[in-house]
Amino acid sequence: MKTVCILPGDGIGPEVIDCARRVIEAATDDLEFVAADIGAGAFQRTGRYLPDDTLTTMKGADTCLFGAVTSERSETYDSPVIGFGKEMDLFANVRPVRDFAGVSDSQLDVVIVRENSEGLYTMDEVADDAGVTTRRRVSLRASERIVRHAIVLARSTDREGICCVHKANVLRRSDGLFLKTFSDIMATEAQDLRFSDQLVDSAAARLVSSPSDFDVIVTLNLYGDILSDVASAMAGGLGFAPSGNIGPSHSVFEPAHGSAPDIAGRGIANPTAAILAGSMMLGHIGMASEAKAIYRAVFEAYATGNKTVDIGGAQGSSKFTEAVISKLNVQKTSLEGTNR
Ligand code: ATP
């Protein structure tokens, strides 16, 4: 039996993770869950945002499902998300975003694969009397492995093309290395896939004006972060965007949104991103049919008129989760009927 480490975290994290867990448990009995502490709550309880035993539990599990943490805007803040990403070598951040019938109709169906181990998010900042310098590294090794990850993902999900998003006209050496690595690998190892590249500013505009032009995007850390929020806004909002952080030996799945302290405790958070993160997680650990069943159940829940509060509906987190579980149960009953 596989083990999932559950990290509810802060704000709406525990609320949406509870919904995701209920859906996963309705889809399969074959998982064991262990809980671990993280975030601002963990800091109050233990003095650490990412306690050592949390990291041990995460590393010992087959995969992890994480809610959200409330970040602090202080210079001494030690982000637990960056911390576990580094400790577990989660080099690829994968964010699929698409329309759901009844929610949005933007012709969007894109997977953004973002390099997660270097770039601008390593908090490598050096202050002097005149200001602060942020160091941003782009290495050959990290570029190669994220491009190869995007190729594997494109092939395994039957996608046809990969677009490299960069700013190599200005950042000629660093983004230039990323673009060259992409072009070389695509030309020699992935002739079955279409490939193209685009400057990040025009890619942002084109994502909004012509979303169906994109299939898989492979990009650097900052660009991927911004583009995936743009994409999720087009698909209905942050409540719709799941995310996977993947490394050679470990993985952590999460809703792309934060802890939303403004709505925490009110039971109105949209659990869709967390439920879809659960679906991605099951796919990653080899439970493809359960992953697909959950995805289809969410799709059908929206297609049949269920609407969460963030998109102008009346269903709170729990009510929407019940609708998804009932769609899952319908699928199970019809499968049993077919097998009989
Ligand atoms: P943090 O400090 O944790 O990043 P934040 O509020 O700055 O929190 P988000 O949590 O990403 O950032 O929220 C941004 C906005 O989107 C907030 O107004 C929040 O209420 C809304 N939001 C985020 N997630 C959801 C959700 N699952 N359902 C409904 N609204 C959401």
Side-chain angles (χ1 to χ4, degrees), residues 7 37-39 48-52 54-56 58-59 64 66 69 71 76-91 116-118 121-123 221 245 250 252 254:
L7 302 128
D37 209 5
I38 193 165
R48 304 278 299 276
Y49 292 98
L50 179 64
D52 288 343
T54 292
L55 202 51
T56 307
M58 292 176 82
K59 286 182 176 172
C64 307
F66 163 60
V69 292
S71 47
T76 53
Y77 177 62
D78 196 9
S79 162
V81 177
I82 292 179
F84 69 62
K86 219 181 207 173
E87 287 284 340
M88 296 164 78
D89 195 17
L90 305 176
F91 69 88
N116 210 25
S117 69
E118 46 185 41
Y121 287 9
T122 53
M123 298 171 100
N221 214 331
N245 303 286
H250 303 289
V252 178
E254 59 173 320

Side-chain angles (χ1 to χ4, degrees), residues 16-17 65-68 95 238 241-243 253-258 272-275 277:
V16 295
I17 290 301
L65 186 61
F66 163 60
R95 292 191 182 182
L238 283 173
S243 167
F253 294 84
E254 59 173 320
H257 58 74
T272 302
I275 295 171

Side-chain angles (χ1 to χ4, degrees), residues 10 12 16 68-73 229 237-240 255-264 268-274 308-311:
D10 307 316
I12 62 169
V16 295
V69 292
T70 303
S71 47
E72 277 176 30
R73 290 189 173 95
D229 272 23
L238 283 173
F240 290 84
H257 58 74
S259 65
D262 54 334
I263 56 165
I268 58 167
N270 184 348
T272 302
T308 45
V309 175
D310 56 328
I311 52 165

Side-chain angles (χ1 to χ4, degrees), residues 3 11 68 71-72 79 86 105 150 155 203 205 210 220 256 258 268 297 304 306:
T3 308
S71 47
E72 277 176 30
S79 162
K86 219 181 207 173
D105 186 18
R155 286 183 179 142
S210 192
L220 295 166
I268 58 167
T304 53
N306 292 283

Side-chain angles (χ1 to χ4, degrees), residues 164-234:
C164 173
V165 173
H166 59 88
K167 191 70 183 171
N169 59 334
V170 178
L171 299 165
R172 292 186 187 188
R173 297 184 69 186
S174 53
D175 283 28
L177 172 66
F178 183 63
L179 175 59
K180 181 175 182 328
T181 308
F182 169 79
S183 307
D184 290 350
I185 292 179
M186 294 304 294
T188 52
E189 299 176 23
Q191 282 133 343
D192 54 316
L193 299 170
R194 278 189 288 107
F195 67 99
S196 58
D197 73 276
Q198 182 119 35
L199 295 173
V200 62
D201 40 358
S202 62
R206 202 164 130 215
L207 191 62
V208 174
S209 63
S210 192
S212 58
D213 288 355
F214 293 98
D215 201 347
V216 174
I217 289 175
V218 66
T219 190
L220 295 166
N221 214 331
L222 175 70
Y223 312 145
D225 192 14
I226 297 170
L227 289 182
S228 55
D229 272 23
V230 172
S232 62
M234 292 166 66

